[in-house]
Amino acid sequence: MKLKSFNTLILALNKETNSIENKGIDGNNLKGYVSIRFICLILTLFGLILLNKGFDKDFSGYLISALSIYIGLVMTLITFMFDKFNSKDFSYDNVDEKEKLILLKNFYKKFITISSQAVFNSIICIFLLSISLSISKMNIDIIKVLKGIDIKKEIDFWLSIKMFLILSYRAYTLYVIFRLFFRVIYIVVSSFNYFNKEMDKMKIT
């Protein structure tokens, strides 16, 4: 696979996820929707303050193991949902049945798209956390380093670059983790809402 084609597929997945994430399966924008990106940015800032020493090795190891299992489970679920979608008969006899089938199709598309994006986020998380496990210098105490700097003297250029890169790495890693966390919650909640509505429509005679 060419790198250009690979990048195109990733961009297409991100674009599709962003376009449907704030919409219901009826295609309308969700009321009271708050940008998840903004929430993740705020949480990332708090995370940087709390994790001034970087990511704990045990935490990174456990999270990598959990994400590896999660990827396998979700990929199996995506395949199952797509098989269900392919086996579904989308023919209809009246307008009501058509509307139901449109909602069902949108649900399948939304579920598979966001689940695929969650798997992609999980892979990125594993890669980023592996860096923390492999390079011990990534886990330095930034606050301790900053306290040791004498601002009256000339600022060390390379040290500043090093601190910037480490902070950028931690910030991006935390942001991806929080995005993944909210997407998993989103998948569960949206699935529950759809199934619950469908069950409420069922009338027992």
Side-chain angles (χ1 to χ4, degrees):
M1 180 183 291
K2 295 182 179 179
L3 182 60
K4 185 177 180 181
S5 300
F6 184 71
N7 291 336
T8 301
L9 291 173
I10 294 175
L11 290 174
L13 176 60
N14 288 331
K15 183 179 179 180
E16 185 67 24
T17 304
N18 292 331
S19 67
I20 67 174
E21 205 166 30
N22 64 332
K23 294 181 179 180
I25 56 175
D26 56 0
N28 297 323
N29 290 328
L30 297 173
K31 294 181 180 179
Y33 178 81
V34 180
S35 176
I36 298 299
R37 290 182 178 180
F38 178 75
I39 296 175
C40 289
L41 285 173
I42 298 299
L43 291 174
T44 297
L45 292 176
F46 281 109
L48 286 174
I49 297 172
L50 295 174
L51 298 175
N52 59 291
K53 294 182 181 180
F55 299 100
D56 181 74
K57 288 188 175 182
D58 290 336
F59 168 79
S60 298
Y62 290 140
L63 189 54
I64 288 174
S65 299
L67 289 174
S68 300
I69 297 171
Y70 173 76
I71 289 172
L73 291 173
V74 174
M75 288 303 298
T76 302
L77 183 58
I78 290 174
T79 304
F80 172 77
M81 293 294 284
F82 188 71
D83 287 340
K84 292 282 289 183
F85 173 78
N86 276 336
S87 62
K88 179 69 177 176
D89 182 11
F90 282 92
S91 58
Y92 58 91
D93 297 322
N94 53 61
V95 177
D96 290 336
E97 288 185 4
K98 182 181 178 180
E99 290 179 354
K100 280 186 177 182
L101 290 174
I102 290 174
L103 292 176
L104 182 61
K105 178 184 175 182
N106 290 343
F107 170 75
Y108 276 120
K109 183 178 181 180
K110 188 171 186 177
F111 183 90
I112 291 173
T113 301
I114 298 179
S115 296
S116 299
Q117 182 68 55
V119 169
F120 178 73
N121 289 151
S122 299
I123 295 171
I124 297 298
C125 279
I126 290 174
F127 172 74
L128 292 171
L129 291 171
S130 297
I131 294 176
S132 177
L133 289 174
S134 304
I135 306 175
S136 58
K137 292 183 179 180
M138 298 297 290
N139 297 322
I140 61 174
D141 190 337
I142 290 182
I143 293 180
K144 186 177 181 181
V145 173
L146 293 176
K147 286 181 178 179
I149 296 176
D150 188 352
I151 58 175
K152 294 181 180 180
K153 296 181 180 179
E154 185 177 353
I155 298 175
D156 189 330
F157 175 76
W158 293 112
L159 179 61
S160 300
I161 294 296
K162 182 180 178 181
M163 292 298 101
F164 173 76
L165 291 175
I166 291 175
L167 278 173
S168 298
Y169 157 77
R170 291 180 184 176
Y172 184 68
T173 303
L174 285 170
Y175 179 79
V176 174
I177 290 174
F178 287 127
R179 286 285 281 174
L180 173 61
F181 175 75
F182 280 108
R183 282 198 169 113
V184 172
I185 293 177
Y186 187 87
I187 292 169
V188 174
V189 173
S190 61
S191 299
F192 167 77
N193 287 335
Y194 174 74
F195 294 143
N196 197 44
K197 286 179 181 179
E198 289 302 306
M199 285 188 288
D200 287 341
K201 291 178 182 178
M202 291 287 184
K203 294 182 180 180
I204 301 175
T205 57

